[in-house]
Amino acid sequence: MSLETNKAFAAVLTAGITFMVAGLVGGLAVSPHRLEKPAIATGEVVEAAAPAAAPALEPIAPLLANASLENGRGIATRVCAACHSFNEGGRNAVGPNLYGVVGGPHAHRDDFNYSAGMKGLHDKTWDYEALNAFLNKPAAAVPGTRMAFAGLNQAQQRADVITYLRSLSANPVPLP
């Protein structure tokens, strides 16, 4: 080995020994006082209680009698039209076309790629109460849905939208 290589190894070895000795001296010079008990008491670990059940959703049928088709059209245009179309034979967008959805099966369009959660409910009908629950909280009504909409929390708004969706049919489903 050359003299330069020996100098490089010696420099690395000396630096390592210096840092080790400095750490030992520092540990002896500064000895922290250990507390007898924790400064912050966290209490006992308690097993989390089951979440409280969501309050039951009020039935939508009484509200449908006085629901406004025009208010529903306005809400649907403002809130739903970014992802859905409403005309007969209309195209699917991010979400499926909603013409004929009331009274039809979940996953009612054959030409749309629904989430597994929605496909699993294909044998169930979009009745008024199912639409009410879905429009309230889509993710709770159909677990696994890809619909990112948070929901309409005002029952009258849901009734208005359902009335509008009901009108999107050649043969609207009778009101309850």
Side-chain angles (χ1 to χ4, degrees), residues 7-166:
K7 285 182 187 178
F9 282 127
V12 171
L13 186 60
T14 304
I17 292 172
T18 304
F19 285 124
M20 184 182 75
V21 170
L24 290 173
V25 170
L28 293 173
V30 179
S31 56
H33 173 67
R34 300 281 178 194
L35 299 175
E36 285 80 33
K37 61 180 184 174
I40 299 173
T42 57
E44 291 182 35
V45 176
V46 179
E47 193 171 314
L57 201 56
E58 67 179 285
I60 201 70
L63 296 174
L64 290 173
N66 296 322
S68 168
L69 177 70
E70 289 308 312
N71 285 349
R73 181 187 330 270
I75 294 167
T77 301
R78 190 174 62 250
V79 176
C80 309
C83 297
H84 297 280
S85 61
F86 305 102
N87 55 328
E88 183 175 10
R91 63 167 179 70
N92 293 318
V94 174
N97 177 290
L98 296 178
Y99 187 87
V101 71
V102 178
H106 286 57
H108 72 286
R109 297 282 302 240
D110 294 332
D111 60 345
F112 186 77
N113 184 22
Y114 290 96
S115 65
M118 190 64 77
K119 285 179 186 174
L121 296 172
H122 181 72
D123 60 331
K124 298 198 185 305
T125 302
W126 277 120
D127 61 19
Y128 295 114
E129 293 306 327
L131 281 166
N132 183 34
F134 189 74
L135 289 173
N136 182 52
K137 288 192 172 132
V142 179
T145 185
R146 288 189 293 239
M147 187 162 150
F149 179 60
L152 295 171
N153 51 1
Q154 292 183 13
Q156 190 58 55
Q157 285 183 339
R158 291 193 305 272
D160 292 345
V161 170
I162 291 169
T163 297
Y164 172 65
L165 292 175
R166 175 185 174 266

